[in-house]
Amino acid sequence: MMVKAGLKWMFLIIGTTIGAGYASGRELWQFFGQESVFAIALFTILFILSIYVMMSIGYKMKTTHYTPILEQLVGEKIAAIYDGMIFVYLFSTTVIMIAGGGAALEAVKIPYWHGIFLMSTVLVLLFIWGNKGLVSINIVIIPLLIILLLAVLLKFGHHVEGIWKIDIYHQSNWTSAIIFTSLNILSLAAILGGIGSEIKTKGEILFASIGSGVVLGVVSFFYNQSLIQVAGDIMVYEIPLFALLKNYPYAMTIIMTVLLLFAIYTTAASGLFGLITRLKKIIKLPYWGLAALLVITMIPLTTLGFAKLVTILYPLYGLINLYILAALVIYPIVQKQQRKID
């Protein structure tokens, strides 16, 4: 029972993280690239710790949205600032996911705006089942996405000599791990705050945090090492993943485009879920009604384009979130000291 629940939360966490930016390779290339093996290892450790702390707070306080987690981490006054910041963050990153859907479909000759409207429609439909639809779709899609993505990366690497070798003397990019981890913190805080009341045991938390961190760390390593080999082609592609697929049969491009769309979809759905759980106390509409209202306001902003949105907003959010990441890292130490005093 614990393992089943842990897997459910693990896939929800991975589904929130592997979206348009990550699955396409754009986000990984933005932060890592050359000399980044240690950076990816550090990211894995920081990610596991952050997830464990947030889930533990949610479990202890039986949360239904993200505000109590923020208040525990940074206090009520600063939490009020981050509350607004999270809302803007979730809103803009969901716009990025919808734009990513349009960009992914463009790669297979489907017009950009057709992809935008398709993504918007299926997002609203998902919330007819409330949050159960979100959890269920992650359990189905994420394992398939990870298996196929790893298969592509390993097959690509099979033909490149020395691609997986680690040069321990040249690892200057390790600081990128801190900003890369902090980039993902706010969206995960919003999701994990929304399911805190549904976590039943501490075992689920341990399983989900370690499992999601290790999976993302392994995929990030293989993906980054592969992208280094096609660095010269990445500027040509809106979605770097397609630089790896250029010598594959066209059918593989179609398959990966569909899976990329699903990855984008699950992250967009997670962002909407975070926004909906926060708005539900203020606007008395069903889940799907709030989803429709939000999506309608997002569509005009997708005109900025996927790559431009990732390039501008992701590093900015990574820097803003550093304070939250620092609070997550020191939280267990502070709690231990308080218990000694008590």
Side-chain angles (χ1 to χ4, degrees):
M1 192 68 181
M2 182 205 78
V3 173
K4 186 178 177 181
L7 280 169
K8 179 173 70 174
W9 305 135
M10 185 183 93
F11 290 131
L12 179 63
I13 292 162
I14 295 171
T16 302
T17 309
I18 297 186
Y22 186 101
S24 69
R26 177 64 59 181
E27 186 183 326
L28 281 169
W29 191 247
Q30 182 89 11
F31 287 92
F32 294 129
Q34 298 283 355
E35 301 188 18
S36 295
V37 176
F38 284 5
I40 291 168
L42 179 58
F43 153 69
T44 303
I45 294 165
L46 290 173
F47 189 87
I48 290 169
L49 178 61
S50 300
I51 295 298
Y52 183 82
V53 170
M54 287 189 289
M55 289 187 78
S56 296
I57 295 170
Y59 168 68
K60 184 180 177 182
M61 302 186 72
K62 300 299 175 189
T63 56
T64 56
H65 58 87
Y66 58 78
T67 307
I69 291 179
L70 288 177
E71 289 175 350
Q72 277 288 304
L73 290 171
V74 297
E76 288 187 19
K77 290 182 179 178
I78 298 176
I81 297 169
Y82 269 97
D83 186 10
M85 201 179 294
I86 282 187
F87 194 89
V88 174
Y89 173 81
L90 291 175
F91 190 93
S92 57
T93 50
T94 306
V95 171
I96 290 172
M97 297 305 118
I98 295 172
L105 284 170
E106 268 191 313
V108 288
K109 314 301 181 191
I110 295 174
Y112 179 75
W113 282 108
H114 289 198
I116 296 293
F117 286 113
L118 176 63
M119 181 68 67
S120 301
T121 303
V122 293
L123 277 171
V124 174
L125 290 174
L126 178 68
F127 285 98
I128 291 172
W129 295 275
N131 67 349
K132 288 185 177 64
L134 175 63
V135 173
S136 299
I137 202 163
N138 275 294
I139 291 170
V140 174
I141 290 170
I142 296 305
L144 183 62
L145 173 68
I146 291 167
I147 290 166
L148 280 171
L149 185 56
L150 280 174
V152 167
L153 297 174
L154 291 170
K155 190 174 187 301
F156 176 85
H158 182 69
H159 302 290
V160 182
E161 189 177 346
I163 187 174
W164 313 128
K165 286 183 180 177
I166 301 170
D167 182 358
I168 62 171
Y169 299 106
H170 297 90
Q171 296 295 325
S172 61
N173 196 36
W174 62 269
T175 51
S176 292
I178 299 169
I179 299 177
F180 185 72
T181 309
S182 70
L183 169 67
N184 293 291
I185 292 302
L186 285 187
S187 57
L188 287 165
I191 302 310
L192 297 175
I195 55 99
S197 60
E198 298 178 39
I199 299 170
K200 300 293 187 288
T201 66
K202 288 188 176 180
E204 297 170 35
I205 298 171
L206 195 63
F207 188 98
S209 54
I210 294 174
S212 58
V214 169
V215 168
L216 287 169
V218 169
V219 173
S220 297
F221 168 73
F222 286 123
Y223 210 157
N224 187 63
Q225 293 299 106
S226 300
L227 290 174
I228 289 169
Q229 308 306 313
V230 293
D233 295 328
I234 287 177
M235 294 298 292
V236 180
Y237 290 85
E238 178 91 352
I239 293 175
L241 174 63
F242 293 133
L244 300 176
L245 295 172
K246 66 179 181 179
N247 295 322
Y248 281 68
Y250 189 65
M252 180 57 79
T253 301
I254 298 292
I255 291 167
M256 292 310 295
T257 299
V258 171
L259 285 169
L260 181 58
L261 277 168
F262 278 125
I264 292 167
Y265 179 60
T266 56
T267 303
S270 295
L272 271 181
F273 176 68
L275 292 167
I276 289 165
T277 54
R278 192 69 188 97
L279 284 175
K280 206 151 176 54
K281 292 178 71 176
I282 305 163
I283 304 172
K284 303 300 180 185
L285 284 174
Y287 274 79
W288 67 267
L290 285 169
L293 185 66
L294 287 162
V295 165
I296 288 166
T297 59
M298 290 172 181
I299 288 173
L301 298 174
T302 60
T303 54
L304 290 172
F306 170 56
K308 188 183 291 185
L309 285 164
V310 171
T311 304
I312 295 169
L313 291 177
Y314 276 22
L316 177 63
Y317 286 135
L319 289 169
I320 290 169
N321 297 354
L322 284 174
Y323 185 70
I324 292 287
L325 178 60
L328 283 164
V329 171
I330 66 169
Y331 183 81
I333 301 167
V334 172
Q335 290 298 298
K336 190 175 181 180
Q337 291 299 317
Q338 283 183 347
R339 282 195 294 270
K340 283 183 180 179
I341 294 168
D342 295 340

